[in-house]
Amino acid sequence: MKRLVFAVLSSFSLAACAQPADGTPQAADGGQKISVGSSAPAATKPIAVPAFASGTPEARVRDVLKALNPRIRVDSIEPAAIPGFRQVVAGGQVVYVSDDGKYLFQGSLLDIVHKKDMSEAALAKVRGEVLKTLPLADRIVFAPVGTPKHKVVVLTDVECGYCRKFHSDIAEYNKRGIEVEYMAFPRAGLGSADYRKMVSVWCADDRKKALTDAKNDRAVPSRTCKTPVDMQYNAGLRMGLEGTPMLLTTDGQFLGGYLPPDALKQRLEQLDAERAQPASGA
């Protein structure tokens, strides 16, 4: 059964599960959040503050959503493929609101003729913009020898089973020409033991070794520093993460959860072929 509209609206507050109402990061295990990272990381802010002329459908939809939930943080409002509706991306979700602000619905909007999920395309566009705010230097990169054939962004946790399974084959992904760019998403939340372990990984002198050790239950020396863990965690929420690992293309297209090396290679090759089709048919 789909969630009630109330749940949809309340979930627009991105940190509802991880933070109390005052915005203070909350530890899932009752501990205290480590003070790391910048005070206002880019990925905790909107991509851009939408500015809509008064009286436009976009402004009306924004005001309606703000009235329903003052904490809502909207990433985009654009005309929907359905006449009379705006397409809204907020909190890693896509909803559709009528231009008069009276109706709202959530769900995948499918273009039957072109066999395209319009909702996923809208979210992928926002994911791509979010990824641009996250520097490559802040990611833990496992690259193949030579020029990569493909690159994927993987939001990972050091405790989840499928994240560990994925990493156990990291050499196989690299052998297939796939570069893996890891970003942190501690599933237990900011301030949890899981979070503190991931901070230690990102603070390590050799982050690749530390990540491998953590995923194999080997001790990682406890350290604190200015890390991107908070920023990447918040980015994962904004990008609609529902579980780890989350595999994305570097421009924000969703590839899936765990995929074995051959399956991931096949999916990336398929995506390359799909992207080439419009150019070949032009």
Side-chain angles (χ1 to χ4, degrees), residues 58-110:
E58 288 81 5
R60 190 177 304 114
V61 167
R62 177 200 58 198
D63 292 344
V64 166
L65 293 174
K66 286 284 186 182
L68 290 169
N69 183 349
R71 297 183 64 204
I72 189 172
R73 195 160 50 196
V74 175
D75 282 317
S76 73
I77 302 177
E78 297 179 350
I82 303 174
F85 278 80
R86 301 291 116 172
Q87 176 179 270
V88 181
V89 181
Q93 298 180 63
V94 181
V95 297
Y96 298 89
V97 184
S98 60
D99 291 349
D100 59 11
K102 293 182 178 180
Y103 304 101
L104 178 153
F105 71 89
Q106 181 191 32
S108 294
L109 179 62
L110 305 179

Side-chain angles (χ1 to χ4, degrees), residues 134-229:
L134 305 166
L136 180 62
D138 288 342
R139 306 174 193 184
I140 300 180
V141 180
F142 287 79
V145 176
T147 303
K149 296 178 182 177
H150 307 284
K151 296 182 180 182
V152 297
V153 176
V154 180
L155 280 82
T156 192
D157 176 81
V158 295
E159 299 290 349
C160 85
Y162 279 109
C163 296
R164 292 183 171 193
K165 184 174 178 61
F166 181 94
H167 192 68
S168 70
D169 282 330
I170 194 67
E172 294 301 318
Y173 292 104
N174 287 166
K175 284 180 183 178
R176 287 156 179 78
I178 302 171
E179 177 176 293
V180 176
E181 302 173 3
Y182 279 122
M183 297 199 310
F185 192 88
R187 295 182 306 158
L190 301 180
S192 64
D194 185 23
Y195 164 83
R196 291 193 290 271
K197 187 178 292 185
M198 297 196 78
V199 167
S200 295
V201 166
W202 257 257
C203 289
D205 293 331
D206 186 341
R207 296 190 299 179
K208 291 169 66 175
K209 180 180 183 301
L211 183 64
T212 300
D213 285 344
K215 286 175 179 284
N216 285 282
D217 282 329
R218 292 194 289 266
V220 175
S222 179
R223 297 182 64 177
T224 60
C225 65
K226 182 178 179 179
T227 75
V229 174

